[in-house]
Each structure stands twice: as C-alpha cells, then as structure tokens.
Amino acid sequence: MNVPGFIARQFYVAGSLRNTDTGWELKAQNPMGNGVLTGVGHLKVDGRDIPAESVTAQRSGDAEAIRAQDVTRFKPVSVFKGDHVTLHVTGTPLEPGEHKLEVELFELNLGRLSFSISDRIP
C-alpha cells in the first residue's frame, strides 16, 4: 500500500534530518495507533539504496537500538501510539540541501507500506 504524503508527514518530525559524526539521522513519531513491524524493505535517499545493515532505530526510553536487518516476522517489533523513534544511518553525511527519503516497511495487519518524505539539511 502506498501511504499518502499527508499521512506519512504525520509520522515524520519535520526539520529533524541532520548529519551526525557517523552519518545522518531523522526522527519519527507514531500519532496513529499500535502496530507490529514484521520487516524493513527498501530504503533510499535521493534514489540511492541504503543498506539495511547501516540502519538502526532507537525508541525514546529504550536502552538499545534495533537494527533494521533484524526486524522479521519471526522477530517483530511492536510500535505503540505515542512512540518517538530516532532513525540512524551510518555512512556518508548528506550534503546541504533538499533530500528525499523513500521507505518500505511491512506491518503485520496492513502488509507492505511504502512512503516518501523530503526535508533539508541546512
């Protein structure tokens, strides 16, 4: 299912895209409801693939990050309404300017979810 932009924007914390010492990161929140992630599919920035092994997500209050490659139907991740998550990508920092991130996730009840968001690095 392709998620309409106006819904995807509710999950993305606008202005949170920034470079870090090890790559870049962005923040997301869940204003909708509870769900269960059973997989992380294709991830891209500006049309370039992001290897799953370079992506982790850390929920506010959790001691450990979750590696994207570890999320499977056998090792699902529960997501709750109100969760705040920081997505970390290890690699080359992004150049200043506009960037487009494409995300594909798999949710237990909804199946494949695909969406894109854009933001700027100042």
Side-chain angles (χ1 to χ4, degrees):
M1 164 197 306
N2 288 328
V3 178
F6 74 94
I7 292 176
R9 284 188 295 277
Q10 291 183 41
F11 286 89
Y12 177 66
V13 177
S16 67
L17 181 64
R18 69 180 191 91
N19 285 322
T20 66
D21 292 340
T22 59
W24 51 277
E25 70 180 23
L26 57 85
K27 296 181 186 294
Q29 60 188 359
N30 180 5
M32 297 283 184
N34 299 341
V36 178
L37 291 180
T38 58
V40 177
H42 299 291
L43 301 170
K44 293 184 178 195
V45 64
D46 302 329
R48 295 184 319 266
D49 288 331
I50 302 168
E53 59 270 11
S54 70
V55 180
T56 60
Q58 188 156 9
R59 188 179 356 225
S60 292
D62 284 0
E64 291 187 34
I66 299 166
R67 298 182 326 161
Q69 65 188 22
D70 291 343
V71 180
T72 69
R73 64 180 188 197
F74 302 109
K75 194 174 177 186
V77 174
S78 295
V79 180
F80 303 101
K81 182 177 180 177
D83 277 352
H84 291 264
V85 175
T86 301
L87 180 78
H88 302 274
V89 178
T90 302
T92 305
L94 299 173
E95 294 292 325
E98 187 82 13
H99 296 280
K100 180 179 179 184
L101 179 69
E102 299 171 60
V103 178
E104 179 183 56
L105 301 172
F106 296 92
E107 200 278 333
L108 182 64
N109 297 309
L110 299 175
R112 179 186 166 273
L113 302 173
S114 176
F115 59 93
S116 65
I117 53 145
S118 294
D119 204 349
R120 306 185 54 76
I121 296 277

